[in-house]
Amino acid sequence: MATIDLEEETIERLDRLRVEEESYDEIVTELIDIYEAEERTLFHSGGG
């Protein structure tokens, strides 16, 4: 598994997005899933 370093500001932003005791891995995975879904939507609609 890859390891990344995050700036304090990024960690604070992730903390605001977390639900209950959600791990950073879970929130990052969710954000990537959202990004990929939006990318597919743009691709299929001809917007990208």
Side-chain angles (χ1 to χ4, degrees):
M1 175 181 259
T3 302
I4 59 171
D5 294 317
L6 301 173
E7 294 181 8
E8 186 66 31
E9 181 182 344
T10 303
I11 293 171
E12 290 170 3
R13 291 176 72 186
L14 287 173
D15 284 341
R16 289 192 298 269
L17 292 172
R18 291 169 69 190
V19 177
E20 297 175 7
E21 296 298 317
E22 190 174 33
S23 72
Y24 289 121
D25 186 55
E26 291 169 322
I27 188 70
V28 170
T29 298
E30 185 176 342
L31 291 170
I32 291 169
D33 290 345
I34 292 167
Y35 174 81
E36 288 175 341
E38 288 178 358
E39 188 176 71
R40 283 190 299 273
T41 300
L42 284 174
F43 177 75
H44 290 298
S45 68

